[in-house]
Structures are given as C-alpha cells and as structure tokens.
Amino acid sequence: MSFIWLLSLLSLYCGIFPVGLGKNISSRPSVVNIGAIFSFDSTIGKVAKIAIEEAVKDVNADPTVLPTTNLWLQMQNSNCSGFLGMAEVLQLMENATVAIIGPQSSVVAHISSQIATEFQVPLVSFSATDPTLSALQFPFFVRAAQSDLFQMTAVAEIIEYYDWKEVIAIYVDDDYGWNGIAALDDKLSEKRCKITYKVGISPETAVNQVQVMDQLVKIALMESRVMVLHVNPKLGTLVFSVAKSLQMMGNGYVWIATDWLSSLLDSVVPPPPETLDSMQGVLSLRQHTAESDQKKAFLSRWNKLTGGSLGLNAYGLYAYDSVWVVAHAIDKFFNQGGVITHSNDSRLNFSGNGDLHLEAMTIFDGGNHLLNNILESDLFGLTGALKFDSGRSLVHPAYHIINVIGTGSRRVGYWSNYSGLSIEAPEILYSRPPNRSHANQKLYEVIWPGNTVEKPRGWVFPNNGKLLNIGVPLRASFKEFVSQIKGSDNFQGFCIDVFTAAVSLLPYAVPHQFIAFGNGHHNPNYTDLVYGITTGKFDAVVGDVAIVTSRTRLVDFTLPYTASGLVVVAPLKKLNTGAWAFLHPFSPAMWMVTAAFFLFIGIVVWILEHRTNDEFRGPPRRQCITILWFSFSTLFFAHKENTVSTLGRLVLIIWLFVVLIINSSYTASLTSILTVQQLYSPITGIETLREIDEPIGFQVGSFAERYLSEELNVSRSRLIPLGSPEEYAKALDLGPGKEGGVAAVVDELLYVENFISRECKFRVVGHEFTKSGWGFAFPRDSPLAIDMSTAILQLSENGDLQRIHDKWVVKSACISDSTDLKSDSLQLKSFWGLFLICGTVCFIALAIYCLQIIRQLYHSDSKESDLSSSSGSHPNRLRRIMSLFDEKKEPRQSKRRKVEKSSENDKNDGNLVVNP
C-alpha cells in the first residue's frame, strides 16, 4: 500500500511541476539532426567536408554547448546540380532535420531555399554568395559568408583606383555568374565605369577548349583590356590556359579574378606549375578572416589532419563557423524552453500506391524560433566576429587583394566596406573614423601580366582593322582653321595640325580616317556634328569646335587647345573734335565741382588772410575782385597776393597740389583727344548691343546664335546669319538702317582676329563676354580623351602649340590698334580723394580760425570787459563778432620789427644827449 501511495505522489509531483523538468531534462533530446549539402568533389567541397566534420566533433566534445545532446550530421552530395540538390534537401526533410549547413552552390541555394521555407528549416550557407538570395524572397536562407555584392564593390573600387573606365566580364552562365556580374555592373555605373561586353560560358562539364577559345578570340579584337573573370575554379583554369595560348596574358592586359581563384590557390598544395604559369600577374580577392590564436591552432590541426595535401581556404573556415552558429542557436533554443517537434503538411498527403513518400516529410514547428536565434548570434569564430546586421549580412565585410606572381601569390592590400582600399588590416582601421577619401585609398605595387610594374592603360584600339571615323567640319569660310585638300580626302589647317601633333606624342598608334561633315557651301551646324558621336556615326570630332555646356552633356572634350570666347565687332567712325574739343577731357560734373572748389578756396583764403593781410582788405568791391582773381589765378600758379597767416599758407599749398594734378590730367587727356584717339564706336560692348534694338550678325553654325537668344534673351528676329568674312564686311558697312545690315557682329575671337586682319576699319569693342575654347570631342568616358589632353599639355609646354597657331592664325598691325577708340571723359570719381583732402584741410583751418576769434572775444582787455554788461544782447554780440572778423590785426613779425626799431631810436637819442 505504501509503495502505491509513493508512486501516486511521484506522479502528482511530475504533473504539478512539468515545466522545470521539461526545460532542463525532457526538452533536450540526446541527438539533434542537422544536414549538410555541398559538392564533395569540388575545390570548396573537399575543404568544407573536413571542416564541417571537425566542427561537429568539437561541438559534441564541448560541455558548454548542447550538454547531454549531440549533433548528428547527415551530409548530401549535390554535385552543384539544382535537381540533385532539391532531391537531397527533400531527403533530409524525411529525417526530422532542424537545420542545414549549405548549400554550397548558389544555383542549389535558390531551389533549396524555397523548400526550406516550406518546411521552416533554416539554411546556413557558407559559400552561396549570390547577392539575389535575399531575406524577402528566401526568409529561411542565412548567408554565413560574404555576399558577392561586397566582392563586386571591391572589384569596382579597384577599377576606379587604377582609372580604368571599361571592362569585359567573363562569367559562368548560371545564377552565380549572372547575378554577380549584374551587381558589378551596378557598382561600376556608380563610378561612371561600365561593362562593354559580357561573355557567358556554359557551366556544363562538356565545355571544351575550343568553345572558350572562340569567345576569347572575340574579346582579343575589342578595345578594352580589363577582364573580370567570375567563374568556378575548373572553368577559370581553362580560361587562363586558353588566354595564355592566345597571348592574352602579356603586356597591356589586366585580369581580375573573383575569390574562386584564391580558393583554388589556397586549397591545392602546391598548385600545379602549369596552372600558375598561365595566371602570372592576375589580381584576385580572398575573403578576409581576422587573425587569432584560435585560427592559428586550427590551421596547425588542419595540417595534421590532411598531411599537407589539402590547404584550408576561407570557405572552409566559414563552413566550420557555420556549424558553431547552428549549435549555439540550438542550445539557446533549448534554454528558452524550446521543444523539437515536427508536424505533417496536409498538402503532402497523396493517396495511391506511388513510391514517392512525400507524407514522410514534416514541418519543423520551432523553425522560426531557431532562425531568430541564428540571426541573433554574437560569437567569435575562426573567421572573426559572427554577427549579422539588419540585412542578414555578416558585419565588417572585407577582402584581401592578392597578386599571383612566381610560385604563389602576394597580398597587395585590403578592401573593407568601412574604409575602402588600404594597405593596413581592416581591424586596425575599425578603431579609426571611416575615411574613404581618394588620398586614403592605397595599394602596394602590382606586378602585371607581362612581368611589368607599369600600370596598364586598360584599352587599345580594336585589333580588327577598323579605323577611327573622325568627323571634320567642311567649312565654307575661315578655311585657315579647317579645310579639305582639293582632290583628296585629307584635311589641313590649324585644328588638323594640332590634332596630328598631339597624336604623334601618344605612346601608341591611332589609326583613323577623316570624314567630312557638311557640303562645303555653307558652314555646318556644329552641334549636329558633335551629336554624330552619340549616334555612332563618328568615333571623334576634330575641328574648330567650341566647348560649351550643351555639348559637354553629349560627349567628352579634351582640354582646350586654344582659347576663343565671344566678342563684339563693330565699325569705327572718325572722332570729329570740333571747336569745343577742349571741354571733352572732363565730364560736366568734374567741370562744375572744379569751378566750385576754385571759388571755395578763394573765399577760405580771404577769410584766413583778411585780418592780417592788407592785400585782402579794402572796399567790398575790391575784396570780391581779389577773391575771384586769386582763386582762378592759382590755376596757372600766377597769383600775386601773398599769404601771411599760417592757416592760409596751409590751405594754399594743399590746393596748389590739387591744381597740379588737375592740370596734368587735363593736358594729357586733351592731347590724347586731339592726336591719338581719332576713332570711336557708339557700341561699347555686349551690354550696349543688348540695349539697342538693332540687328546683330552671327556666323552660321556657331553657338553664338543659341547663346544670344537663350542666355542673353536677344530676340531671334534681331539675329542675322552671316556665312563668310565678306558677308561680315558688307553687313557692317550697310549698317542697321538698311536691309541685310547689322549694327555689330558677335563671333568667336579667333574668327574675329582673322577677319579684322583684312578689314582694319572694324574693331573689337568691349571685352570677351564668354570664356571657352576649342577642343577635340570623343565619346563619354573615352580614355583617348584623357591621353589627348595630356598630349595637348605637352604641346603647350614645349611651344609647338604656339608655333602652329602662328603658322595659321595671322595677325595684322591694325589688330593692335583696337584700343584707339574714343575713351570716356575724366570723371569726378577719379579725383574725389583730392577734393576730399583739400576740403577737409579748409574746414579744419576755418575751425581753428573761428576758435581764435571766439577766444579773442572772451579774452578782451579790461576796458572792453567793463562794457560787456551793457552790450550783452545778441545783436550787440553779433556786431562785436563781425567787428573782430573785420578788425585790422598787425602780424607778430611786424610788431617785433617796430619794437626793435623803437629801441634803436631811443639809444641814438641818448647818445646825442651825452656827447654834445
């Protein structure tokens, strides 16, 4: 009986407290099934197989992770086949699998992720790098390696670092290849680079050397020499072998292989000499894994396991860490009270006697819980930090950049999503503020194909016998710049000579042919000529093509080889001086202010001298005449009146200095008017031309028409097209009052210089109102535009550009007379400083004089002080002040002489008394 009661109590206890026991004991099974899918015989698969097995052993041997529970691993060989991969995943679903390590291939990952989503089993892939495997489409897919999105960003930044603009992409024709190259195309576009040609090679094993050779022969005939190879190791080795036989691994070529090459080199120990020989100078990337003692210990252990016959690549490290991520997630799942249960999917219950047992496949009920635990991982493994960001990518994506040379490879730098290209390890940069400036991007020196350290140009002219079609304007006028040689297809002129000289400085040949644009009877439209580049009609344009904003939106120009802005040309008339020419040097305001100052100075000097100088005293009529005579006689320095007071002399000396400056300026201006300046034009520049409502001429085909109408808002009805210098002269001679006549012509400076070298009666008025130049046009991002710009700079520095200019563009003597136009009269603003100084001195002198009068008023002798009380009214005080202004005052010098004379007379009188 007691035994029965004991059993009952025990049963009751278990019923009351099921949670604690379930959490610690009953919820943890002894075995948890996980799967692994990869290709056993592939370069990555061979390494991953050993790494995954070792990781499972280490997890099962670690008491801190999954205590009392072991991982049971079932590995399936997908053979990189989507169909086989799907079948293997379905087989794993029959065994109550809770997580799958893999798949290895991106092709298999696309299919497997759909199955995993249906059965809610997380896939933790260590090598499926396809960037389109997104969390939105495949929520149960977790990438425990770096996405190709980051790898292609690194490739794009390498291409930008070396200033290459166009690349050729060679890829394996499957999901891995397509989507990787699509990501590269996007990243290159962000940096104004592009993929000019894409070559997809079948992933089938039946691909042979002949098929690869056919594709590489096409590539060899193209312009770009920068190749990006995104394939699998087997196909990549074949491509390099064929490229070597076609001499495409020599000088001038650039090969950038994605991380498949580093995986091959790291796994195969040692690499076959013939394989390395065909890859000399190739750049490749390797997924960066942080250095640690844990990693070093595992590498040592690896060498013992494999006996040195198989190397450990980065994907092997990621495969090892993937097992640990899953193990910690499962352990956390159990610690949170999770129970591994599976349920049947009603959609898979089929009736019948078929051999396909889909009903055996079950849905993992805790799949979402386990998936969240995986995404919340925060560990440190062999590869470094095992932590996922909001986009389900591992934090701190980074790559090694390696250069294949000799019997192995050498690291030339790093790329990290944090700071771009550098020669320092990413872990060092993480402790600093991010810096992606151009100056901070650095790599060590690379040994390129052909065993050279000189950076390849990255492009050549197509080796298919095709010449560059260069458009040249067939002008009807100004043929000194561009003209066709009669009876041939060749051209000559200033622009042609500059182009030829620049091409001769390039380190390579530029096979080309000139193609005329226009009929030779009228000047062609230059915008249409430039537009021909965008349509593929021309490969370049050479001629007197101005670099303007609208054209730079279509093509790339070289640096200007000559400056040529818009100017105004107008007819000149002789200046008729007339009887009143002597008034022209000064403006009316200048004349009035000068005359006023003459009177003002006369009055000031009279005030300062009136009390002490007899020459400034007398009857009022005489004093007025004295003021006028004294003031205007200073113009010729002919004043006879002497100044006695100190203040008067100070004012006079300043005024005489002002008169000297005014006299000199007037004489110089009048001399210029009467002798040199004999020509003038009512139009003084573009502003005057805009204000008057008169016709304006422009050269047919020039951008001047668009600039005047769109930029300066000149009515198109005022614009008259002119086709030749003769038409310029005729229209200017007719003038604006007659049909076909113009008030002025607006054209580029070089054309105008050529025109007025023959027609000296016309001149440039005003200044250039645009700053542009002539350049050679090429397609957007053409590397030839950069090299030609460098050649033009060399021509400018060695003087050849000036010599070519002097040969074709001739200037006559009348061009230098363009300044012989009527100048403006001298304005008051040129002399206001002198008048200000003089006026200031006058007011200071008057102020001092007034203070002296006031002091004398309040310090009169005692007799006048006694009478002050009786004369304190305002009229009396005013009369007193006026009397002081008019009172005669002896100068101190005169008083001293009188005293001395008086003393001398007294002595003489004394002598006369003593000696009688």
Side-chain angles (χ1 to χ4, degrees):
M1 261 322 260
S2 59
F3 180 75
I4 294 174
W5 278 106
L6 182 61
L7 290 177
S8 300
L9 289 174
L10 182 61
S11 300
L12 180 64
Y13 179 83
C14 293
I16 295 174
F17 305 103
V19 177
L21 293 174
K23 179 178 179 181
N24 297 324
I25 300 175
S26 62
S27 63
R28 286 183 177 267
S30 59
V31 174
V32 174
N33 295 334
I34 65 171
I37 299 178
F38 52 90
S39 179
F40 292 173
D41 295 331
S42 65
T43 302
I44 295 175
K46 292 177 181 179
V47 176
K49 185 175 184 298
I50 300 175
I52 292 172
E53 290 174 344
E54 291 303 310
V56 171
K57 291 179 183 178
D58 292 344
V59 168
N60 291 335
D62 191 339
T64 63
V65 181
L66 292 174
T68 71
T69 301
N70 288 330
L71 293 179
W72 185 78
L73 175 66
Q74 181 180 357
M75 294 190 291
Q76 301 290 344
N77 186 4
S78 66
N79 203 25
C80 292
S81 168
F83 175 76
L84 292 179
M86 177 183 66
E88 300 298 343
V89 170
L90 291 173
Q91 185 174 351
L92 288 175
M93 296 305 169
E94 296 179 4
N95 299 326
T97 302
V98 299
I100 297 176
I101 308 299
Q104 170 192 334
S105 167
S106 297
V107 176
V108 178
H110 277 274
I111 301 175
S112 301
S113 296
Q114 294 178 353
I115 300 174
T117 301
E118 292 294 330
F119 293 101
Q120 299 185 11
V121 176
L123 293 179
V124 183
S125 178
F126 57 88
S127 61
T129 56
D130 182 356
T132 64
L133 290 167
S134 64
L136 292 177
Q137 186 178 4
F138 308 112
F140 278 82
F141 175 82
V142 180
R143 195 194 328 267
Q146 301 297 349
S147 168
D148 275 343
L149 180 65
F150 300 112
Q151 180 172 209
M152 294 310 173
T153 303
V155 172
E157 293 194 17
I158 292 172
I159 291 170
E160 181 190 35
Y161 177 78
Y162 289 110
D163 295 324
W164 298 316
K165 296 298 181 183
E166 298 179 353
V167 302
I168 294 175
I170 306 173
Y171 61 95
V172 59
D173 195 12
D174 58 14
D175 291 338
Y176 163 73
W178 299 329
N179 299 323
I181 294 302
L184 175 62
D185 205 0
D186 293 340
K187 294 301 178 181
L188 288 175
S189 297
E190 294 175 4
K191 303 179 183 304
R192 292 193 63 185
C193 305
K194 62 181 179 180
I195 298 176
T196 56
Y197 187 65
K198 298 178 182 179
V199 179
I201 301 177
S202 173
E204 301 296 333
T205 56
V207 174
N208 55 38
Q209 185 173 351
V210 175
Q211 292 173 316
V212 174
M213 183 175 293
D214 290 341
Q215 297 292 346
L216 293 185
V217 168
K218 295 178 183 178
I219 293 174
L221 299 177
M222 296 179 181
E223 179 179 292
S224 178
R225 285 292 180 263
V226 181
M227 319 294 176
V228 176
L229 190 58
H230 186 55
V231 293
N232 54 55
K234 182 178 180 180
L235 187 56
T237 304
L238 177 60
V239 169
F240 280 130
S241 176
V242 175
K244 175 74 173 178
S245 65
L246 294 176
Q247 298 182 350
M248 295 177 65
M249 299 301 298
N251 196 7
Y253 282 89
V254 176
W255 288 87
I256 302 176
T258 51
D259 60 358
W260 66 265
L261 178 56
S262 61
S263 299
L264 175 65
L265 297 178
D266 293 340
S267 303
V268 181
V269 181
E274 62 275 8
T275 300
L276 282 176
D277 186 56
S278 65
M279 300 177 180
Q280 294 296 301
V282 174
L283 283 183
S284 182
L285 291 99
R286 175 193 291 129
Q287 298 204 42
H288 173 72
T289 55
E291 297 298 330
S292 63
D293 294 337
Q294 183 180 355
K295 177 180 174 181
K296 292 178 182 177
F298 187 78
L299 286 173
S300 177
R301 175 181 166 190
W302 181 271
N303 291 330
K304 295 178 181 179
L305 287 171
T306 62
S309 60
L310 182 65
L312 177 61
N313 56 44
Y315 288 110
L317 297 175
Y318 281 116
Y320 182 91
D321 283 348
S322 298
V323 175
W324 278 94
V325 168
V326 170
H328 278 279
I330 296 174
D331 186 54
K332 185 177 180 181
F333 174 81
F334 289 146
N335 290 336
Q336 293 170 343
V339 178
I340 295 179
T341 60
H342 290 76
S343 59
N344 293 325
D345 190 345
S346 59
R347 295 172 297 176
L348 299 179
N349 292 328
F350 297 102
S351 59
N353 298 321
D355 296 331
L356 187 61
H357 302 288
L358 295 179
E359 67 278 2
M361 302 175 191
T362 56
I363 298 173
F364 178 30
D365 297 327
N368 280 303
H369 193 177
L370 180 60
L371 174 65
N372 291 333
N373 288 346
I374 292 174
L375 296 176
E376 293 172 359
S377 298
D378 191 1
L379 311 172
F380 192 89
L382 299 183
T383 57
L386 298 173
K387 186 177 181 180
F388 299 94
D389 59 20
S390 58
R392 293 194 179 186
S393 296
L394 287 177
V395 295
H396 301 318
Y399 288 86
H400 295 179
I401 302 171
I402 63 173
N403 181 204
V404 180
I405 191 69
T407 58
S409 63
R410 53 185 284 266
R411 185 175 60 237
V412 297
Y414 301 89
W415 176 89
S416 69
N417 199 41
Y418 186 76
S419 294
L421 302 175
S422 70
I423 56 176
E424 295 183 281
E427 287 75 22
I428 298 175
L429 300 176
Y430 295 149
S431 61
R432 305 173 186 172
N435 185 355
R436 299 185 72 94
S437 65
H438 181 74
N440 198 54
Q441 306 299 294
K442 296 179 181 178
L443 291 176
Y444 288 118
E445 194 174 67
V446 175
I447 300 177
W448 303 99
N451 198 30
T452 176
V453 295
E454 182 180 356
K455 186 198 79 172
R457 192 169 65 247
W459 68 277
V460 295
F461 288 101
N463 189 22
N464 53 10
K466 181 183 176 182
L467 302 176
L468 285 181
N469 293 327
I470 299 179
V472 179
L474 192 57
R475 297 188 56 86
S477 60
F478 295 111
K479 295 188 175 182
E480 297 86 352
F481 301 105
V482 181
S483 63
Q484 188 171 16
I485 301 174
K486 292 183 178 180
S488 70
D489 294 331
N490 295 326
F491 284 77
Q492 64 181 2
F494 169 64
C495 304
I496 302 300
D497 280 5
V498 172
F499 176 77
T500 304
V503 167
S504 66
L505 294 177
L506 298 179
Y508 49 85
V510 183
H512 62 274
Q513 61 181 353
F514 293 126
I515 299 177
F517 182 81
N519 55 21
H521 302 294
H522 302 90
N523 291 338
N525 187 298
Y526 278 48
T527 300
D528 293 342
L529 173 60
V530 171
Y531 187 74
I533 295 178
T534 64
T535 61
K537 182 178 180 180
F538 302 123
D539 298 314
V541 167
V542 171
D544 48 338
V545 182
I547 304 173
V548 295
T549 304
S550 59
R551 295 171 185 170
T552 57
R553 296 191 181 104
L554 301 175
V555 297
D556 281 349
F557 282 93
T558 62
L559 290 177
Y561 57 86
T562 185
S564 183
L566 290 178
V567 293
V568 178
V569 183
L572 301 182
K573 299 178 182 179
K574 289 187 177 182
L575 176 63
N576 185 13
T577 56
W580 301 99
F582 67 90
L583 295 176
H584 292 168
F586 288 162
S587 65
M590 181 65 182
W591 279 117
M592 289 188 290
V593 171
T594 303
F597 254 84
F598 272 106
L599 293 176
F600 174 67
I601 293 299
I603 294 172
V604 171
V605 173
W606 176 82
I607 292 173
L608 299 176
E609 295 290 323
H610 178 67
R611 298 183 67 206
T612 59
N613 195 337
D614 291 336
E615 295 181 355
F616 289 88
R617 300 184 64 83
R621 183 169 178 271
R622 177 187 173 189
Q623 293 182 48
C624 291
I625 294 174
T626 300
I627 291 173
L628 293 174
W629 166 257
F630 176 81
S631 60
F632 286 102
S633 63
T634 56
L635 178 62
F636 309 102
F637 305 98
H639 52 285
K640 297 180 180 180
E641 293 78 9
N642 295 321
T643 52
V644 177
S645 67
T646 303
L647 295 175
R649 290 174 177 177
L650 175 63
V651 170
L652 182 60
I653 195 65
I654 296 298
W655 174 243
L656 291 178
F657 175 73
V658 174
V659 170
L660 175 64
I661 300 299
I662 293 175
N663 258 335
S664 302
S665 302
Y666 175 85
T667 303
S669 181
L670 181 62
T671 303
S672 176
I673 290 174
L674 297 178
T675 58
V676 179
Q677 294 187 359
Q678 300 175 357
L679 301 174
Y680 83 100
S681 172
I683 299 172
T684 58
I686 188 62
E687 294 301 326
T688 307
L689 198 58
R690 291 177 62 189
E691 293 171 359
I692 62 176
D693 189 19
E694 294 181 348
I696 304 171
F698 68 91
Q699 183 182 172
V700 175
S702 170
F703 75 98
E705 178 186 14
R706 185 201 60 80
Y707 186 86
L708 291 171
S709 61
E710 297 181 9
E711 301 295 334
L712 301 183
N713 297 319
V714 177
S715 174
R716 288 187 180 271
S717 61
R718 293 177 56 192
L719 303 179
I720 307 298
L722 304 172
S724 66
E726 292 74 17
E727 292 184 21
Y728 285 10
K730 181 180 178 181
L732 290 171
D733 285 334
L734 288 174
K738 298 181 180 180
E739 184 178 357
V742 296
V745 172
V746 174
D747 205 351
E748 295 181 63
L749 180 60
L750 285 177
Y751 299 128
V752 170
E753 288 179 347
N754 185 278
F755 167 64
I756 61 179
S757 67
R758 313 168 190 172
E759 302 286 345
C760 291
K761 56 185 176 181
F762 306 112
R763 290 290 187 276
V764 174
V765 292
H767 303 283
E768 288 183 77
F769 54 92
T770 65
K771 294 294 183 182
S772 62
W774 293 352
F776 305 130
F778 294 91
R780 296 300 296 269
D781 301 322
S782 171
L784 188 56
I786 300 174
D787 290 352
M788 286 293 289
S789 296
T790 304
I792 289 172
L793 284 177
Q794 294 180 17
L795 289 176
S796 178
E797 292 170 356
N798 62 25
D800 288 344
L801 194 60
Q802 185 62 44
R803 283 188 285 271
I804 297 173
H805 180 276
D806 296 340
K807 172 185 175 183
W808 291 100
V809 184
V810 181
K811 293 184 179 181
S812 68
C814 60
I815 295 179
S816 62
D817 298 335
S818 59
T819 57
D820 299 342
L821 305 179
K822 178 183 176 182
S823 61
D824 294 333
S825 301
L826 295 176
Q827 302 293 324
L828 178 62
K829 62 183 180 181
S830 302
F831 299 91
W832 73 268
L834 290 173
F835 288 127
L836 177 63
I837 295 173
C838 185
T840 302
V841 172
C842 290
F843 281 112
I844 293 174
L846 288 174
I848 296 174
Y849 182 75
C850 290
L851 289 174
Q852 292 175 349
I853 294 298
I854 293 172
R855 181 182 178 187
Q856 186 174 350
L857 177 65
Y858 287 100
H859 296 82
S860 301
D861 54 32
S862 58
K863 184 182 292 186
E864 293 174 345
S865 298
D866 295 337
L867 298 174
S868 61
S869 60
S870 63
S871 58
S873 63
H874 288 292
N876 292 333
R877 184 170 296 175
L878 181 61
R879 283 195 297 271
R880 176 62 178 157
I881 293 174
M882 294 301 296
S883 66
L884 286 176
F885 271 108
D886 192 55
E887 181 182 348
K888 172 67 176 177
K889 181 181 179 183
E890 292 292 337
R892 293 180 181 178
Q893 187 177 6
S894 299
K895 289 184 178 181
R896 187 161 50 249
R897 289 177 180 176
K898 287 183 179 180
V899 170
E900 292 175 356
K901 185 175 181 181
S902 175
S903 300
E904 184 179 350
N905 291 334
D906 291 342
K907 290 180 181 180
N908 292 334
D909 292 341
N911 292 335
L912 291 173
V913 172
V914 174
N915 300 319

